């Protein structure tokens, strides 16, 4: 449901920037949901980056530098359906201004997240566990999986 609403927003012309954790840091049971959602968002035109140097834990939505939602809630079904999460909406100018400044600094210190099969394989090779997770994403090294439809990731940002 959240992904659908974000896709519709991008279709209306909303510019969407997403800072996400690299796939290799996701729990194995959250990998398919996380990567799938990010690939969908990238495919519809959202810019997806990962933060350099800091572990991303913040949960914030900033709209038009005028409104913000900040809280513990992840933008995933589990956060809405399976756990009690909290978020606060504000339009207090001094709060939104400070959040916008932090978001801008983080974006400037981020880099594009490579969501191609090759990029995901490279990232998943950083996993500490022996199972990298590529088998869950149905991607394999050195060739196209015949059972997987083509997904265009042109690398533009």
């Amino acid at each position: 449901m959240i992904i659908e609403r974000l896709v519709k927003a991008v279709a209306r012309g909303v510019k969407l920037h997403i800072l996400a954790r690299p796939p290799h840091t996701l729990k194995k049971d959250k990998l398919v949901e996380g990567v799938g959602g990010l690939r969908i968002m990238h495919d519809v035109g959202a810019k997806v980056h990962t933060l350099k140097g800091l572990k991303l834990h913040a949960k914030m939505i900033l709209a038009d530098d005028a409104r913000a939602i900040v809280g513990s809630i992840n933008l995933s079904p589990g956060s809405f359906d399976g756990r009690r999460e909290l978020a606060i909406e504000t339009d207090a100018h001094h709060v939104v201004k400070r959040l916008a400044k932090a978001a801008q600094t983080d974006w400037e210190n981020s880099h594009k997240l490579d969501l191609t099969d090759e990029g995901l394989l490279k990232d998943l090779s950083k996993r500490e566990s022996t199972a990298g997770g590529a088998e869950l994403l149905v991607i394999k090294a050195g060739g196209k999986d015949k059972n997987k439809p083509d997904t265009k990731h042109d690398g533009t940002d």
Side-chain angles (χ1 to χ4, degrees):
M1 178 71 102
I2 297 303
I3 297 291
E4 287 178 50
R5 290 179 185 254
L6 292 173
V7 166
K8 287 179 180 180
V10 171
R12 288 192 317 268
V14 172
K15 292 183 175 116
L16 184 62
H17 292 177
I18 299 169
L19 278 175
R21 293 174 57 194
H24 77 271
T25 67
L26 299 176
K27 293 178 183 174
K28 198 167 182 177
D29 63 334
K30 301 295 182 189
L31 188 61
V32 172
E33 177 182 41
V35 169
L38 291 174
R39 278 184 149 182
I40 289 168
M41 296 315 306
H42 174 267
D43 286 348
V44 299
K47 294 180 180 180
V48 182
H49 281 208
T50 189
L51 198 54
K52 298 177 198 171
L54 292 174
K55 180 180 178 183
L56 183 65
H57 188 71
K59 284 85 172 177
M60 178 181 68
I61 298 173
L62 181 64
D64 302 326
D65 287 337
R67 299 180 314 276
I69 299 173
V70 181
S72 66
I73 195 163
N74 292 306
L75 297 178
S76 63
S79 286
F80 288 90
D81 302 333
R83 293 184 295 274
R84 179 171 314 281
E85 300 280 357
L86 300 173
I88 297 172
E89 181 179 359
T90 184
D91 60 0
H93 178 71
H94 68 286
V95 173
V96 173
K97 183 177 176 182
R98 191 165 177 190
L99 291 170
K101 183 177 179 186
Q104 181 63 35
T105 299
D106 286 350
W107 191 258
E108 291 169 357
N109 291 297
S110 69
H111 63 274
K112 185 177 183 299
L113 187 55
D114 186 352
L115 295 168
T116 64
D117 286 357
E118 296 78 19
L120 288 168
L121 285 169
K122 183 178 177 182
D123 181 80
L124 291 173
S125 71
K126 299 174 188 174
R127 285 179 91 85
E128 292 182 14
S129 67
T130 55
E135 70 284 356
L136 295 173
L137 297 175
V138 195
I139 56 176
K140 60 182 180 176
K144 180 182 177 324
D145 187 331
K146 293 177 185 169
N147 296 318
K148 185 172 182 226
D150 287 330
T151 303
K152 184 179 178 189
H153 296 280
D154 61 9
T156 60
D157 197 28

